[in-house]
């Protein structure tokens, strides 16, 4: 995502502002009426909003998603939860990059074995020769043309669920339950603004005032989540939803990166019993922990963010084996 490049600030208070404009195209199954109430559209009309439709077609697209990036990590989790591994291939850029692009430096010869590209930037330029914005992950790339289709990260995971249902594995979770969707949208909105993006607003704050505001908002939301999870296993009840995926990728990076690197240091995640038990529960659920690479996560933040960590030194800790420890109610009661 563009936060991996140079952060941008507003003039007043030097607050971090995330650029949320992406390649807006969608990979859609069949033809639908442009009904703003249709969950597949989420209020966006492809014709009205200038969104190009791409067809759902197994093997046509490659998901490029760096494990280091929390926004890309979402797509890796959803792909596994839904059983789409044989339908949508995945390219895995390495954790560090220069100002221009993510690179496939961990693949043999430094080249993605399917796309034949050294840099994700090439897929963007294949479609938009003068593409002016950050080269972000996750990105869906058409294999044959080697062109980026979309990098609109919230819609990538949304569409993996709604548009690729014909290819979901048997027993795949209902990540967007109809009866909970309205409340879930509100929960996810607060998680995004205050937690997912909140840690970045702390870490990239350009003034004490901006940092203090971001810090207070982050911890107000973390306390709200701690209270919410005191009475339920998952954010929306007794089943995993997209909301859990979106929160998990921030929580799993919290103690290893955000607590120190981004100055989110009121306390550690491991000191919040309900959030900590919840996070370990998800980590140990198939589809979650197997997509997490702590070595790459730490290398990315501590090496790429030279404004925050100019020495490039990567900390050895924390002890990450704690993610495999028991997380049941009896352990929470004892903790």
């Amino acid at each position: 995502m563009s936060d991996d490049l140079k952060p941008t600030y507003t003039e007043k208070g030097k607050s971090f502002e995330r650029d949320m404009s992406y390649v807006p195209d969608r990979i859609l199954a069949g033809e639908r009426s442009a009904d703003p109430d249709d969950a597949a559209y989420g209020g966006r009309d492809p014709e009205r909003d200038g969104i190009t439709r791409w067809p759902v077609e197994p093997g046509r697209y490659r998901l490029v998603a760096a494990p280091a990036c929390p926004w890309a990590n979402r797509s890796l989790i959803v792909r596994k939860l839904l059983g789409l591994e044989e339908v949508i291939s995945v390219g895995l850029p390495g954790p560090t990059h220069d100002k221009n692009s993510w690179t496939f430096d961990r693949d043999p010869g430094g080249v993605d074995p399917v796309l034949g590209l050294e840099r994700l930037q090439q897929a963007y330029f294949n479609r938009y020769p003068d593409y002016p914005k950050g080269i972000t992950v996750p990105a869906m790339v058409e294999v044959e043309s080697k062109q980026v289709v979309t990098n609109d990260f919230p819609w990538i995971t949304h569409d993996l669920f709604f548009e690729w249902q014909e290819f979901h594995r048997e027993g795949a979770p209902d990540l967007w339950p109809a009866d909970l969707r309205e409340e879930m949208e509100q929960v996810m909105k607060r998680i995004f603004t205050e937690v997912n993006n909140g840690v970045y607003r702390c870490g990239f704050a350009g003034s004490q005032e901006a940092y203090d505001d971001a810090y207070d908002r982050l911890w107000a939301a973390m306390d709200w989540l701690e209270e919410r999870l005191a009475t339920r296993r998952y954010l929306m009840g007794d089943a995993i939803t997209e909301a859990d995926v979106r929160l998990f990728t921030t929580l799993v990076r919290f103690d290893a990166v955000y607590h120190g690197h981004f100055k989110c240091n009121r306390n550690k995640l491991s000191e919040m019993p309900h959030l900590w038990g919840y996070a370990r529960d998800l980590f140990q659920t198939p589809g979650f922990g197997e997509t997490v690479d702590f070595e790459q996560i730490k290398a990315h933040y501590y090496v790429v963010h030279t404004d925050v960590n100019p020495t490039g030194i990567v900390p050895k800790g924390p002890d990450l084996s704690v993610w495999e420890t028991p997380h049941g109610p009896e352990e929470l009661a004892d903790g």
Side-chain angles (χ1 to χ4, degrees):
M1 200 172 177
S2 54
D3 54 62
D4 306 309
L5 307 176
K6 184 178 181 180
T8 57
Y9 304 95
T10 57
E11 289 298 321
K12 185 179 179 180
K14 296 183 179 179
S15 300
F16 170 68
E17 298 292 332
R18 184 176 300 284
D19 183 354
M20 288 296 292
S21 58
Y22 297 95
V23 179
D25 289 0
R26 305 278 298 281
I27 300 173
L28 301 172
E31 295 292 331
R32 288 191 179 87
S33 62
D35 178 359
D37 294 327
D38 187 335
Y41 285 123
R44 297 201 311 179
D45 179 339
E47 284 74 23
R48 180 196 66 206
D49 297 338
I51 297 170
T52 299
R53 297 168 177 263
W54 296 70
V56 166
E57 187 177 315
R60 179 167 178 170
Y61 308 101
R62 187 161 176 82
L63 172 63
V64 178
C69 171
W71 320 96
N73 196 174
R74 291 181 181 184
S75 62
L76 294 173
I77 293 170
V78 170
R79 174 177 170 268
K80 279 192 172 290
L81 289 176
L82 300 178
L84 294 172
E85 295 96 322
E86 300 302 317
V87 179
I88 302 170
S89 67
V90 69
L92 302 173
T96 59
H97 55 75
D98 58 25
K99 65 180 181 179
N100 294 319
S101 180
W102 295 89
T103 59
F104 298 101
D105 51 284
R106 295 203 168 192
D107 286 315
V111 175
D112 180 271
V114 172
L115 298 174
L117 305 178
E118 296 178 353
R119 292 176 172 271
L120 179 58
Q121 184 184 56
Q122 294 168 271
Y124 281 72
F125 287 172
N126 284 342
R127 186 167 180 202
Y128 305 105
D130 299 317
Y131 189 72
K133 303 174 72 64
I135 307 301
T136 66
V137 290
M140 295 291 282
V141 178
E142 186 180 39
V143 173
E144 183 175 0
S145 68
K146 306 184 193 311
Q147 294 183 354
V148 66
V149 173
T150 181
N151 63 343
D152 201 342
F153 72 96
W155 290 96
I156 288 176
T157 54
H158 174 282
D159 290 347
L160 288 179
F161 176 75
F162 282 104
E163 303 301 321
W164 293 82
Q165 290 192 7
E166 178 184 353
F167 304 100
H168 289 182
R169 66 173 175 84
E170 184 178 354
D174 181 359
L175 297 179
W176 292 78
D179 60 329
L180 299 175
R181 200 168 294 152
E182 184 175 355
E183 180 189 2
M184 192 174 83
E185 292 277 10
Q186 294 304 310
V187 169
M188 292 193 301
K189 181 178 181 180
R190 186 171 183 183
I191 288 171
F192 173 72
T193 59
E194 309 303 292
V195 180
N196 298 148
N197 198 41
V199 293
Y200 286 92
R201 287 190 295 105
C202 289
F204 290 153
S207 72
Q208 189 68 50
E209 178 186 11
Y211 166 75
D212 289 349
D213 176 68
Y215 179 97
D216 291 343
R217 286 174 57 181
L218 166 68
W219 286 107
M222 291 287 279
D223 288 339
W224 165 68
L225 289 165
E226 175 74 359
E227 182 178 355
R228 185 178 181 91
L229 289 164
T231 58
R232 62 190 76 200
R233 182 174 182 181
Y234 303 115
L235 285 172
M236 303 309 301
D238 59 2
I240 291 170
T241 66
E242 171 95 6
D244 298 297
V245 176
R246 295 186 179 195
L247 177 59
F248 172 78
T249 58
T250 296
L251 296 184
V252 81
R253 289 161 173 77
F254 201 91
D255 287 2
V257 175
Y258 302 143
H259 178 271
H261 183 62
F262 278 174
K263 307 179 184 69
C264 303
N265 62 349
R266 191 194 75 176
N267 54 257
K268 297 177 181 178
L269 174 68
S270 57
E271 295 167 344
M272 303 184 78
H274 301 303
L275 269 171
W276 177 225
Y278 161 83
R280 282 177 292 155
D281 187 2
L282 290 176
F283 184 87
Q284 295 169 36
T285 298
F288 283 85
E290 63 206 85
T291 71
V292 175
D293 187 318
F294 286 112
E295 181 265 329
Q296 291 198 47
I297 288 170
K298 291 194 295 180
H300 170 68
Y301 285 92
Y302 287 102
V303 173
V304 171
H305 295 162
T306 55
D307 288 351
V308 180
N309 186 42
T311 66
I313 294 172
V314 179
K316 294 180 70 174
D319 177 8
L320 301 174
S321 66
V322 294
W323 283 93
E324 298 289 358
T325 58
H327 54 78
E330 65 280 2
E331 286 79 17
L332 295 182
D334 293 339

